[in-house]
Amino acid sequence: MMNNKKGDKDLNLVIAGHVDHGKSTIIGRMLADTDSLPEGKLEQVKETCRKNSKPFEYAFLLDALKDEQAQGITIDSARVFFQTDYRQYIILDAPGHIEFLKNMVTGAARAEAALLVIDASEGVKENSRRHGYMLSMLGIKQIAVVVNKMDLVDYDEDTYNEIVAEYTDFLAELGMEAETFIPVSGMLGDNVADQSENMDWYHGKTVLEQLDSFENEDLPHNKPFRMPVQDVYKFTKGGDDRRIVAGTVGAGELNIGDEVVFYPSGKKSTVKTIEGFEEDKQHKVKVGKATGFTLDEQIYITRGELASRADEAEPMVSARIKANLFWLARQDLVKDKVYYLKVGTAKVKARLEKINRVIDASNLDQDESKEKIERHDVAEVVFKLDKAMAFDLAGEIEETSRFVVVDDFEIAGGGIISEAMEDEQSWVREKVMRRNYNWEQSLISREDRAEKYNQKSTLILITGEEDVGKKPTAKALEKRLFNDGKVVYFLGIGNLLYGVDADIKNGDNGHKEEHLRRLAEVSHLMLDAGAILVVTAVELSQSDLELIKTTVNPQQIETVWLGDKVTTDLEFDLHIPEFTSEDQVSSQIKGLLQDRGIIFRPW
Amino acid sequence: MDHLDKLESRSIHILREAYSEFNNICMLWSVGKDSTVMLWLARKAFFGHVPIPLVHIDTSYMIPEMIEHRDKLAKKWNLDMIYGQDEETLKAGNTFPNGQATHLECCGRLKTDALKNTLNGNWRRYRYNHNKDKYEVDDNREPYTGVIVGARADEEGSRSKERYFSPRDRNNDWDIGDQPPEFWDQYKTDFAPGTHVRIHPLLDWTELDVWEYIQREKIPMVSLYFDQGEGKRYRSLGCGPCTETIDSTASTVDEVVEELKTGKFSNIAERDGRAQDKEDGGGLEELRKDGYM
């Protein structure tokens, strides 16, 4: 889809390679030779050089920052714009110093093509390989290798050919192939914009010719529709009653009337309108567009769900993933530490479960015995997630297979998901997704009920050791809330056991889990009806809670541990160490509900 | 999608991420073309609403048309409009136009300090009351943890180093050498207490992109950008005493676009008429480290 308007063919370009191999020089030369510098810029830099008694170099054009010039290395993926007759380029300057790999990743992840610079006099170095590896992981498919500083090796063809052979082999191991190799001198301008007269043995393209022959990356049009939900907006100002599901289309397309399914919840509805602001009414929205749509039914979904179409392939949903990962942070990636994983707009707590192997990106050596992942390592790992999320696999839909790992407020690494693995809640989740998918929506929304009953429907789980006063507390709480006029219900476990659960035989495999699942499903119904539900259970563990959370919206659960001895790993919301009286304890729990805004607190 | 569509979608995506991920967020609006485009993008992102307060730093030396234009749009678009200023310096008169400060000192006080203290709530904020049609002292002095700014990478060297989500530490410092990685539409949205994040939705836009977008979307611009018959107009807006006009007869958006594409300005840096950039080798960068936009 080419047209002649400048802008549509713009190409994001990254320049990678080992430190001091001449990336900035090549860029400076391209800017100067294509007349792409703003008037005054060249003079300004030359003037700075004169003042500091330094010979002018093309690299200085990029080193606009003072401290950067002091260090003599490019420290960030600065964006630089230049134009050829054919199109505009945005250079995301990837620096070569090993300390700055995270800047290189920042630049390279958005590039459609890469120039990898290798110094002819130094040959293939650690970062020549590391950057090549990173480019392949980041999904850059078009790479041209620039063999720079040919002037320093007397424009020797054999030196050039050796580098070409060595690096071609390396790329082949990664399953990649360079578009071309070009011998140049950035300093003197050979083969950058103009064909060199010093290398009559080379008949290929100049750097600029190669750039112009890179193709613009096509957005994933012909893939199943995917849109990570950024938010659901309901701005009531000016009587606006639209409830808009907002996000950017990551793949495929969506039409009015399409059935959409949101994962991991599995909830389903039909697209009623496609919304915009000051634009013609749209019937279809395509990949790449930041958009929003309304639904026929008022289903409750939140940020982090992945929207897909019912008539297309569904995404994976799991709380365990296998992934290829690169690590950028100074702190190691270790087991027994809580991280956050971000996929699309979903963000979930995650723990490193297993390191399958660590790969040294600079020589592709593998290590299967490492217990931690260090800065600049690349590895195959398994993550266990706190709750399930929706994604696709690498090789199927790239956009939704990519994740980052957040450690201590910082993005510390990134990766691509290669496999959705079984987890403990898989069997429940499948049932829940089927339930949600087939859910018969009433005309009354969650908000309607909350407004009517003046409360947010919530499941209160009171747990602790046996005989610590859980049941008296639960009944007292029910009565207290009831007297306040709340819609509240105490659900005794025994009341389920001989009815809903009558067919489960103790001793059956997984009978405890099935009891829990049914308890959670019954709770789900009552919460949907708008009630506050009080349930007691003996020594609830975190994995029990996780099973319940798979079934009931985690935001609608409050847990209370009663008794001074905490005997499980449950992460509860409130701990009441001493059972003073049911009156007092139930009053404490009521306070929690008020704190959380579940019921109203008078001032 | 054409070039402007792509820029638009990315910026909207970033605005929505910022809105969802930060509790206390504001958008800086200088009334200039860039931040006005950003404001327009916010209206698109939120389907006609602007659920984010707009903060203007009023040096009191702003060209009067800018304040008029600000308040006109605030009313028309129902904006949550806030301004702050360095009342002490203004009272004492320690400014460049009074001959009591250099360019950089003046900017440092009226812009950088005022911005810092308006954002962190140390100084008074004034909020527009739509019912009474006037600004009132704002009770809310909570610090903003996310600040949306209309900086563009092509404006100037130091801006080309920014991230979309760029952290500032407790002292408002910007550690250029150690910025967070940013890839695959994932941004730094987690931050330690006391720090805040600058968000730059327009980072990828060029000056020409901005004007072509204004042209396409018919975004109302302050008249200062256009020649009013005297053969002069502003290319970049700031304080009256420190911003020069350029010789140009472009009197409409179309003419400005044409001039940028083909005319004498296609090769001259946009901020050429801004005095503070020239006073010292690294003027703007130093200001930016201190929190200047």
Side-chain angles (χ1 to χ4, degrees), chain A residues 99-112:
Chain A
E99 288 302 310
F100 301 130
L101 194 69
K102 63 183 183 178
N103 295 325
M104 183 257 170
V105 167
T106 301
R110 300 190 40 227
E112 293 164 271

Side-chain angles (χ1 to χ4, degrees), chain A residues 29-39 81-83, chain B residues 266-267:
Chain A
R29 171 61 78 171
M30 291 195 294
L31 291 179
D33 287 2
T34 53
D35 288 326
S36 296
L37 292 166
E39 207 172 296
F81 301 80
F82 78 98
Q83 295 195 344
Chain B
S266 58
N267 254 342

Side-chain angles (χ1 to χ4, degrees), chain B residues 135-152:
Chain B
Y135 285 87
E136 295 172 341
V137 175
D138 190 11
D139 296 335
N140 175 12
R141 297 181 80 155
E142 239 183 275
Y144 292 111
T145 50
V147 182
I148 309 174
V149 186
R152 302 188 335 258

Side-chain angles (χ1 to χ4, degrees), chain B residues 56-75:
Chain B
H56 181 233
I57 299 305
D58 186 356
T59 61
S60 87
Y61 290 105
M62 293 295 168
I63 309 167
E65 283 93 328
M66 294 172 69
I67 304 293
E68 264 169 48
H69 190 72
R70 176 190 79 188
D71 292 343
K72 194 178 87 190
L73 287 190
K75 258 182 250 179

Side-chain angles (χ1 to χ4, degrees), chain A residues 8 10 39 68 76 79 102-103 106 110 230-231 240 242 248 290-291 303 342 344 347 409, chain B residues 3 9 13 16-17 20 47 49 161-164 178-179 182 186-190 203-204 267:
Chain A
D8 298 350
D10 280 7
E39 207 172 296
E68 200 187 292
D76 189 17
R79 276 154 267 215
K102 63 183 183 178
N103 295 325
T106 301
R110 300 190 40 227
Q230 279 186 292
D231 231 324
D240 191 347
R242 293 173 298 175
T248 304
T291 185
R303 175 176 167 87
K342 287 165 83 176
K347 180 177 173 184
F409 308 118
Chain B
H3 177 60
S9 276
H13 184 84
R16 288 175 177 168
E17 284 298 287
S20 293
F47 305 97
H49 303 267
K161 308 275 171 176
E162 289 280 11
R163 296 283 199 256
Y164 294 118
D178 190 23
Q179 299 204 63
E182 200 165 68
Q186 297 290 357
Y187 310 105
K188 180 183 167 62
T189 53
D190 300 88
L203 210 52
D204 289 341
N267 254 342

Side-chain angles (χ1 to χ4, degrees), chain B residues 166-231:
Chain B
S166 201
R168 296 294 194 271
D169 70 11
R170 278 167 208 280
N171 304 318
N172 226 16
D173 280 343
W174 180 34
D175 188 350
I176 305 161
D178 190 23
Q179 299 204 63
E182 200 165 68
F183 50 98
W184 296 339
D185 288 332
Q186 297 290 357
Y187 310 105
K188 180 183 167 62
T189 53
D190 300 88
F191 54 97
T195 61
H196 74 272
V197 175
R198 296 260 170 99
I199 299 136
H200 303 114
L202 298 187
L203 210 52
D204 289 341
W205 296 57
T206 64
E207 187 189 11
L208 181 60
D209 292 332
V210 166
W211 277 109
E212 286 185 327
Y213 190 69
I214 291 168
Q215 182 181 37
R216 181 178 100 171
E217 302 284 315
K218 303 184 179 66
I219 304 171
M221 280 295 129
V222 62
S223 58
L224 297 165
Y225 282 116
F226 311 108
D227 174 32
Q228 307 293 327
E230 289 163 12

Side-chain angles (χ1 to χ4, degrees), chain A residues 424-425 427-428 432 512-514 516-518 520 542-552:
Chain A
E424 285 161 20
Q425 278 87 40
W427 65 281
V428 184
V432 170
K512 190 185 168 209
E513 285 77 9
E514 182 59 18
L516 266 180
R517 188 189 73 78
R518 292 192 193 180
Q542 187 61 27
S543 73
D544 294 338
L545 179 63
E546 243 127 69
L547 194 151
I548 296 170
K549 278 183 177 174
T550 306
T551 311
V552 176

